[in-house]
Amino acid sequence: MKRAPSRGWPSTIIGVLLLAVMLFPVYWMVNASLQPAGNTLRGGWFPLHPDFSGYATALRDQGTNLVTSLVVALGSVALSLGLAAPAAYALAHFPLRGTDLVLFGVLVTQMVPGIAVANALYGSYNDLGLLNSHLGLILADSTAGVPFAILVLRSFMRSIPKEIIEAARVDGAGNWRAFRSVVLPVSANALITAGVFTFLFTWSDFLFALTLTTTETVRPITLGIYEYIGAHTNRWNAVMATSVLASAPAAVLLAVAQRYVATGTTSGAVR
Amino acid sequence: MFVVPAGTYLLLFFGYPSVKNVVMSFQQYTTTTFYTGAAPFVGLRNYATVLSSELFSQALVTTALFAAGSIIGQFVLGLAMALFFQRRFPLNGVLRSLLMLPWLLPLVASATTWKWMLDTDSGVVNDALGGLHLVSSGVPWLTGTSEALVSVILVNIWVGVPFNTAILYGGLRDIPPHLYEAAKLDGAGPVASFRHVTWPLLRPVVGVVLVLGVVYTLKVLDIILVVTGGGPANATQTLATQSYELSFQQFDFGRGAAMSNVLIVLSLVFALVYLRAHRRALHA
């Protein structure tokens, strides 16, 4: 962090105001979640007497859904990084024929609307018994994580000097050993960046949850909220408490992994 | 081989669905198919039905308005914020990263909040507008046909501003400061230096942001399904929600596939534009 200049406080005030406007919906979500139950939809502007019953209801009804989301998101992180890291390394360091074609393909996959993927997968999932399963969701949700991780990791791995990889090779390490004991450790930051985003993509996924789960057995939290709106409009505080709980990971990751979020946003799009 | 696992995955989860969607779009593929396994080929009938339906032309217009409104809003506000955060002031970094929050939250969670905020009778938006005497009666944000489209555009703008700000801010930071000093020496004011230094040098990044905006907006489903459900009277029905409805509400997967193929083609057109802009951004 740069040292803050002593002047510029008026800009800070404008910045805080801008932010207050932009983050108002987030405040309103939290505020609403702390209002007492009822179907009036109307609450005070401030949670003067915070009421936590919304959270109690939310945790009781949606607790398992939160766990489902966590399992699916972590599974997708593992799968995406596991598939993307070796591919990114090869695309960055081996003079493969067709590298441009593969990269082109990876970029294009980011443009394919999820609804098209879901449409085609539904039938096959039905045949394979993957509907309503953690594995099915992990596989489908990774369609966001894998291409993103390949792009982020590749752009980072290209900056690893060839010399240190060659040094490992000279010491008798095979390609795979060099990858595992040299490339991966050096790429820790890029792996975290890709992992954080894959987690957020999957945790936030609504489309695949909506189309590839049809029962309550495996239901991610996003779908839980959606079903809640339909069924519990008389308990808005619980609906909003669920939204707060579903938003918590994003807020926490932003707080603890600020730097990675910033690099991920830019490198995923422009590099 | 290092690329084989990822390559296999991409083929299975992008290659296969793309091919399958093309095949399905020529079939009568419905719930019956799951029981009997029969999906008779019907030629171009799905396309004919889908493209000639009144709903399609309406959805096409809605999609265009939704995309144009969202992208203009996101871009203008995003650029304004990016320029603002270029100034040096205390807490700049903290505020800038907090600004990312709307973009990172699950869309369903924030869309649910907006749905509540935009409620005609008891939503906080009408409360505030009424309190400021800007409107005399409640605006039917979600129940009026034209208001509902404005509402989903507003929500989508809100979601997209942080991303636009972050990318454009990055672009602004890459402009060498000495160019601004030179412009100043030549007597350029803020407006002139924006026109002659900032804008030309930011152009490649602008291209990337706009095209990504189009591609992302074309596939938006969560916001519309949660906030308006495509209603009222299909006023917020886009190609994406149409495709979802055909496949997963009416269980006519053949027509859903036809619709999603239209969406893929549209996205790919913009993707190709993106890739050209992308290459230029890299070699600029």
Side-chain angles (χ1 to χ4, degrees), chain A residues 1-9 11-12 14-16 18-19 21-26 28-29 32-33 35 40-43 45 79 82-84 86-87 89-91 94 96 102 104 106-127 136 138-144 146-147 150 175-176 179 197 200-201 203-207 210-212 222-223 225-226 229 236 239-240 243-244 246-248 250-251 254 258 261 265-266 268-271, chain B residues 1-7 9-10 12-14 16-18 20-21 24 29 34 77 81 84-85 87-110 112-117 119 121-124 127-128 157-159 161-163 166-167 169-170 173-174 205 208-209 211-212 215-216 218-219 221-223 225-226 229 239-240 243-245 247-248 251-254 256-258 260-261 263-264 267-268 270-272 274-275 278-279 281-282:
Chain A
M1 198 105 252
K2 291 180 301 276
R3 224 157 51 88
S6 54
R7 51 202 188 86
W9 283 104
S11 296
T12 306
I14 299 173
V16 170
L18 277 177
L19 207 71
V21 173
M22 276 300 282
L23 294 190
F24 180 77
V26 182
W28 203 244
M29 187 197 292
S33 73
Q35 302 287 344
T40 57
L41 293 191
R42 196 186 281 275
W45 282 74
L79 179 71
L83 292 175
Y89 171 58
L91 291 171
F94 299 152
L96 291 174
V102 175
F104 178 79
V106 170
L107 277 168
V108 168
T109 59
Q110 290 201 310
M111 316 290 164
V112 177
I115 185 68
V117 176
N119 192 57
L121 283 186
Y122 185 86
S124 330
Y125 267 33
N126 192 34
D127 296 340
I138 290 172
L139 286 167
D141 283 336
S142 301
T143 51
V146 170
I150 289 180
N175 257 332
W176 186 247
F179 171 67
F197 273 84
L200 288 175
F201 292 153
W203 179 273
S204 308
D205 165 66
F206 175 64
L207 176 72
L210 182 65
T211 52
L212 302 177
T222 47
L223 197 55
I225 298 175
Y226 189 58
I229 314 175
W236 268 99
V239 180
M240 302 316 286
S243 294
V244 173
S247 303
L254 184 61
Q258 215 188 86
V261 169
T265 311
T266 43
V270 189
R271 236 131 278 183
Chain B
M1 265 300 269
F2 288 88
V3 197
V4 172
Y9 174 84
L10 292 178
L12 280 177
F13 282 83
F14 287 105
Y16 167 77
S18 310
K20 171 116 174 172
N21 261 336
M24 280 168 89
Y29 200 108
F34 296 119
L77 291 175
M81 296 260 204
F84 172 75
F85 278 108
R87 301 177 180 195
R88 295 178 42 148
F89 56 85
L91 300 180
N92 181 315
V94 179
L95 294 177
R96 207 156 22 87
S97 53
L98 278 174
L99 183 69
M100 292 304 292
L101 200 54
W103 192 63
L104 297 172
L105 296 186
L107 280 178
V108 178
S110 37
T112 303
T113 310
W114 275 102
K115 184 188 170 75
W116 191 38
M117 288 172 48
D119 188 86
D121 299 319
S122 46
V124 67
D127 256 18
I157 290 176
W158 178 79
V159 170
V161 165
F163 179 75
I167 305 291
Y169 177 80
R173 294 289 301 243
D174 286 343
V205 183
V208 170
V209 167
V211 178
L212 278 180
V215 173
Y216 289 154
L218 284 180
K219 44 179 175 179
L221 201 78
D222 324 36
I223 295 173
L225 283 186
V226 172
L239 296 179
S243 171
Y244 164 75
E245 205 168 286
S247 290
F248 293 98
F251 296 105
D252 193 334
F253 288 90
S260 64
N261 284 336
L263 200 56
I264 291 186
S267 298
L268 280 186
F270 286 103
L272 292 176
Y274 165 73
L275 289 173
H278 180 91
R279 202 165 301 157
L282 273 184

Side-chain angles (χ1 to χ4, degrees), chain B:
Chain B
M1 265 300 269
F2 288 88
V3 197
V4 172
T8 313
Y9 174 84
L10 292 178
L11 280 180
L12 280 177
F13 282 83
F14 287 105
Y16 167 77
S18 310
V19 175
K20 171 116 174 172
N21 261 336
V22 173
V23 176
M24 280 168 89
S25 68
F26 296 120
Q27 287 175 309
Q28 187 183 331
Y29 200 108
T30 57
T31 0
T32 341
T33 310
F34 296 119
Y35 297 109
T36 62
F41 279 87
V42 293
L44 290 168
R45 209 163 70 199
N46 288 329
Y47 286 97
T49 330
V50 163
L51 296 180
S52 66
S53 81
E54 213 177 295
L55 216 49
F56 177 79
S57 32
Q58 196 191 339
L60 194 63
V61 174
T62 308
T63 306
L65 290 174
F66 180 67
S70 301
I71 287 156
I72 294 171
Q74 289 171 359
F75 178 75
V76 171
L77 291 175
L79 182 60
M81 296 260 204
L83 288 168
F84 172 75
F85 278 108
Q86 240 203 330
R87 301 177 180 195
R88 295 178 42 148
F89 56 85
L91 300 180
N92 181 315
V94 179
L95 294 177
R96 207 156 22 87
S97 53
L98 278 174
L99 183 69
M100 292 304 292
L101 200 54
W103 192 63
L104 297 172
L105 296 186
L107 280 178
V108 178
S110 37
T112 303
T113 310
W114 275 102
K115 184 188 170 75
W116 191 38
M117 288 172 48
L118 292 169
D119 188 86
T120 307
D121 299 319
S122 46
V124 67
V125 173
N126 276 348
D127 256 18
L129 291 176
L132 295 168
H133 299 289
L134 287 172
V135 294
S136 48
S137 60
V139 181
W141 291 108
L142 305 175
T143 47
T145 42
S146 41
E147 287 88 346
L149 184 57
V150 172
S151 298
V152 288
I153 292 174
L154 278 178
V155 177
N156 197 37
I157 290 176
W158 178 79
V159 170
V161 165
F163 179 75
N164 279 258
T165 306
I167 305 291
L168 292 169
Y169 177 80
L172 290 175
R173 294 289 301 243
D174 286 343
I175 298 174
H178 67 83
L179 292 180
Y180 287 108
E181 283 152 28
K184 212 172 190 174
L185 284 179
D186 289 345
V191 177
S193 77
F194 178 83
R195 256 189 57 196
H196 298 294
V197 180
T198 312
W199 188 251
L201 288 169
L202 199 60
R203 276 258 292 278
V205 183
V206 170
V208 170
V209 167
L210 291 181
V211 178
L212 278 180
V214 177
V215 173
Y216 289 154
T217 310
L218 284 180
K219 44 179 175 179
V220 167
L221 201 78
D222 324 36
I223 295 173
I224 294 176
L225 283 186
V226 172
V227 176
T228 63
N234 293 317
T236 51
Q237 201 78 257
T238 60
L239 296 179
T241 62
Q242 261 298 293
S243 171
Y244 164 75
E245 205 168 286
L246 285 170
S247 290
F248 293 98
Q249 304 272 293
Q250 303 177 18
F251 296 105
D252 193 334
F253 288 90
R255 281 199 237 163
M259 185 65 106
S260 64
N261 284 336
V262 174
L263 200 56
I264 291 186
V265 169
L266 279 177
S267 298
L268 280 186
V269 169
F270 286 103
L272 292 176
V273 177
Y274 165 73
L275 289 173
R276 291 196 48 187
H278 180 91
R279 202 165 301 157
R280 229 176 295 146
L282 273 184
H283 297 296

Side-chain angles (χ1 to χ4, degrees), chain A residues 74-249:
Chain A
L74 290 176
S76 180
V77 171
L79 179 71
S80 298
L81 295 184
L83 292 175
Y89 171 58
L91 291 171
H93 276 277
F94 299 152
L96 291 174
R97 266 188 307 145
T99 300
D100 283 344
L101 193 71
V102 175
L103 279 174
F104 178 79
V106 170
L107 277 168
V108 168
T109 59
Q110 290 201 310
M111 316 290 164
V112 177
I115 185 68
V117 176
N119 192 57
L121 283 186
Y122 185 86
S124 330
Y125 267 33
N126 192 34
D127 296 340
L128 296 168
L130 282 172
L131 289 177
N132 304 308
S133 72
H134 291 98
L135 180 64
L137 278 180
I138 290 172
L139 286 167
D141 283 336
S142 301
T143 51
V146 170
F148 179 83
I150 289 180
L151 295 178
V152 169
L153 291 173
R154 175 179 174 271
S155 80
F156 179 85
M157 286 175 181
R158 259 154 53 111
S159 67
I160 301 175
K162 283 211 173 353
E163 291 74 30
I164 63 170
I165 300 166
E166 270 154 23
R169 301 288 304 278
V170 168
D171 289 346
N175 257 332
W176 186 247
R177 268 288 302 281
F179 171 67
R180 253 190 32 206
S181 49
V182 179
V183 177
L184 279 188
V186 182
S187 312
N189 281 343
L191 287 166
I192 296 174
T193 303
V196 164
F197 273 84
T198 305
F199 185 92
L200 288 175
F201 292 153
T202 311
W203 179 273
S204 308
D205 165 66
F206 175 64
L207 176 72
F208 292 120
L210 182 65
T211 52
L212 302 177
T213 66
T214 50
T215 62
E216 284 178 35
T217 44
V218 176
R219 171 166 291 175
I221 191 67
T222 47
L223 197 55
I225 298 175
Y226 189 58
E227 302 281 319
Y228 238 3
I229 314 175
H232 286 282
T233 31
N234 58 335
R235 277 189 292 175
W236 268 99
N237 62 343
V239 180
M240 302 316 286
T242 312
S243 294
V244 173
L245 293 173
S247 303

